[in-house]
Amino acid sequence: MSDTLESDPPIVEGKPSPFAVPAGCFALSVREVQHYTDRLFRFRVSRPREFRFRSGEFVMIGLPNAEKPVFRAYSIASPAWDEELEFFSIKVPDGPLTEHLQKIREGDTILMRKKPTGTLVNDALEPGKRLWMFSTGTGIAPFASLIRDPETYDKFGTLILTHGCRLVDELKYGQDLVAALREDPLIGELVEGRLIHYPTVTREPFEHQGRITDLITSGKLFEDLGLSRMGPEDDRAMICGSMAMLKDTKELCLSHGLEEGANNKPAQFVVERAFVD
Ligand code: A2P
């Protein structure tokens, strides 16, 4: 692992950037890029030795392609123990950052502000028997971090990761992640029988269909899993997705008797938005 920039000047889209690395930022080398659909991709970058974060937090990411780079919040999808940092991103046509970010290649440089933050962390919840992780789209990213962190299994008995997407192809990141985790020589055993994955699709046929909010309201989610409905005694929840999804899922958590928590006041559920445009 290297903690310095491997290319000087920074490289973006295969060419040297005329712009310097701004103060307060790490310049990180792109190690791997994987495209899933014309809307989704994942990338991994080098991790500076001094960069510490809690699984589930987010950072601000930009590119060294402008004098005043555009930064957007990205959840770190890799766990706190990983030697690299992973991100899962949407591609927005004409999006001020993602239009360029989607073209990055191995060896390019990205910028990352030094301070991580966020509410989807184990510290913001009281311990519980079940942890529900409700996500849509790229909102699965913080949970990709948390389900790979042994600390999450210390604090909660069973983890239920729900992932709602429009199309089946958009589920692949989560499906690959869970499959790899079950095979992992270090954490695979810990995960066995304790991680439940519930993908659902809204715009084409699939094994599970419908918005997660509708599946909670109708009770189908709990029926499909053979689990009781959520309640404040045993259940904790984390929510990450679009603004509308956050609002609707939060209301459902409240109506099931769960109370919202924060870093300085742990309770029964927490909410974060997937910010990228
Ligand atoms: P739908 O196809 O009915 O809009 P997006 O890509 O727009 O972020 O959507 C990702 C997934 O989240 C889609 O399956 C979408 O369903 C679903 N979704 C959108 N709004 C909500 C909401 N308010 N509550 C729950 N799921 C939602």
Side-chain angles (χ1 to χ4, degrees), residues 39 136-137 164-166 202-203 211-213 242 244-245 248-249:
R39 294 206 317 141
T136 54
C165 289
R166 298 179 188 185
T202 47
R203 301 198 189 182
R211 288 187 173 191
I212 195 65
T213 42
S242 64
M245 178 272 190
D248 294 349
T249 315

Side-chain angles (χ1 to χ4, degrees), residues 204-217:
E204 62 183 359
F206 186 65
E207 179 192 354
H208 301 301
Q209 268 182 282
R211 288 187 173 191
I212 195 65
T213 42
D214 294 335
L215 295 163
I216 296 172
T217 306

Side-chain angles (χ1 to χ4, degrees), residues 228-253:
S228 58
R229 265 190 182 273
M230 294 189 290
E233 281 285 294
D234 293 339
D235 292 288
R236 307 294 173 253
M238 293 182 172
I239 313 171
C240 193
S242 64
M243 284 303 277
M245 178 272 190
L246 296 182
K247 181 175 164 289
D248 294 349
T249 315
K250 174 177 168 162
E251 268 164 31
L252 285 169
C253 286

Side-chain angles (χ1 to χ4, degrees), residues 14 31 66 109 119 158 200 259:
R31 295 279 169 79
T109 307
T119 53
T158 304
T200 178
E259 210 179 288

Side-chain angles (χ1 to χ4, degrees), residues 6 10-11 40 48 82 87 89 101 112 123 127 143 167 169 175 202 214 218 232 238 265 267:
E6 285 170 5
I11 304 291
L40 295 169
D82 200 329
F87 300 96
S89 179
L101 193 64
M112 185 179 87
D123 292 342
F143 304 138
L167 304 172
D169 282 354
Q175 289 169 326
T202 47
D214 294 335
S218 69
M238 293 182 172
K265 191 179 167 291

